[in-house]
Amino acid sequence: MAVTCVVGANWGDEGKGKMVDYLAEKSDVVIRFQGGSNAGHTVINQYGKFALHLLPSGVFYPDVVNILGPGVALDMGELIRELDDLKKRGVPEPKVMVSERTQVMLPWHKLFDTYEEERLGARQFGSTRSGIAPFYSDKYAKVGVQAGELFDKEALRDRLGPIVEAKNVLLEHLYHKPTMNLDEVVDRLYEDGMKIRHLIADTSSFLHDAVKKGKNILLEGQLGALRDPDHGIYPFSTSSSTLAGFATVGAGLPPWAITEVIAVVKAYSSAVGAGPFVTELQGEAAHELRERGGDAGEYGAKTGRPRRVGWFDAVATRYGCRMQGATTIALTLLDVLGYLDKIPVCTAYEIDGKQTTEFPLTGTLDRAKPVLEELPGWKQAISHIRTFDQLPKQAKDYVAFVEEQAGVRVGWISVGPRREQTIMRNR
Ligand code: GDP
């Protein structure tokens, strides 16, 4: 049995979707354990290019069971749309299960996300406005609804009555927007619930059996360590834990089950939304890296917004790998750096005149300046290469540099966005 967690070591967009799609071939189950439709995992395979927002990246293998765990923020409309899209594009019908304990996005979550950003104006967080922060706030304030609760209309009405009443006060008096009608809210949730009722199940007992039978299970994280609400760049973080340590909770597995934590590390840095970003580039250098990055430039898979880009940040990556408890690194997007004569990398921060290699609190991070070194570039395309030995020496040295800085072995190197553009390193 192997229970492998694939998580981001940086700010998200490290290429987790690509790695999960690649690793899912040898898996029986793939589980999303946190987050919602606020980010996109890009997968490019024989069926085309997909940006999966909610579905686990194992959906392209008809034998893999794909689970949305209780830790996920379930946008039912988005789930239905994504499943339809796969069907329209010729992907065989995937096996999908939704935990009966997964909470559903309620109609006001997206509204509040949008209205709050409007209210904050220049101080907004750059939210994708998918309702994530209001969703998790409500979940932990115990005014959420679990998927398995959608089918008793009377009970649903009873529970939602006082909640809608309170939300309407905010809508009317804080945001000055139209209020909601309880009956309409109940009808809509019930109808959406009926459309996915066949997917809802007791996934915890399914997983318990899967572990007992020694199945191969992949846990797919969303965003990255630096967006974790406790250990990331709070408050420019997300609202659910992005760490492997949370994966068993968000999935419904015993903590001892995880056998490997693969931290996906990007060969350079990128971030979407507001918050400190020490190695961020501006001007022409940023433009060039952004246009050459990703599979078609560094633009958000969810929003199409240009991503902020910068050089590899060893301080942030070492911290990200540590917080993830990484046992192996998958180093992605290495091919992108092939245009540079010399590759700048950040090995320390200078804060108030002192150098440090520790990742500080957000307020201090704002004052950090990158201490840069340069590594020799390889100045050639490497996307066709499939073995480590065939990589140019400078690219191998870059991998060794990442390993040394992070203190974790690089087990996979991704040299392009397609499934097959992956190098597995022998142990
Ligand atoms: P995720 O959310 O971590 O799955 O990452 P995203 O899908 O948001 O962003 C990663 C971007 O990089 C996507 O455009 C991928 O197609 C692309 N990508 C992934 N791995 C590689 C790689 O090794 N090389 C290149 N050039 N692009 C990659």
Side-chain angles (χ1 to χ4, degrees), residues 112-248:
F112 277 38
D113 205 353
T114 307
Y115 298 160
E116 185 59 12
E117 289 280 277
E118 280 171 18
R119 192 177 78 86
L120 291 173
R123 283 150 58 217
Q124 64 180 243
F125 290 101
S127 161
T128 59
R129 303 180 183 205
S130 315
I132 298 300
F135 169 92
Y136 283 105
S137 317
D138 277 358
K139 174 173 174 172
Y140 291 106
K142 297 174 285 187
V143 290
V145 174
Q146 294 182 320
E149 284 183 298
L150 291 170
F151 308 106
D152 179 342
K153 250 184 158 175
E154 271 322 294
L156 192 58
R157 206 173 184 289
D158 267 6
R159 250 175 74 61
L160 287 175
I163 304 174
V164 170
E165 192 183 8
K167 300 296 177 192
N168 276 342
V169 173
L170 289 175
L171 282 173
E172 190 176 347
H173 298 290
L174 180 63
Y175 298 122
H176 311 292
K177 299 285 183 187
T179 55
M180 292 171 304
N181 173 285
L182 176 61
D183 289 325
E184 281 172 21
V185 168
V186 172
D187 286 347
R188 185 169 146 197
L189 285 173
Y190 181 81
E191 277 164 29
D192 281 353
M194 289 308 278
K195 289 185 198 150
I196 60 159
R197 192 171 192 170
H198 59 292
L199 307 177
I200 297 174
D202 175 359
T203 55
S204 163
S205 49
F206 173 85
L207 287 173
H208 180 76
D209 278 356
V211 170
K212 267 207 329 214
K213 287 179 186 147
K215 301 278 185 194
N216 288 326
I217 298 174
L218 266 186
L219 293 154
E220 177 177 13
Q222 187 220 31
L223 295 169
L226 307 171
R227 298 285 186 196
D228 183 75
D230 288 307
H231 299 283
I233 51 171
Y234 187 87
F236 303 100
S237 46
T238 191
S239 305
S240 64
S241 177
T242 54
L243 300 183
F246 178 75
T248 53

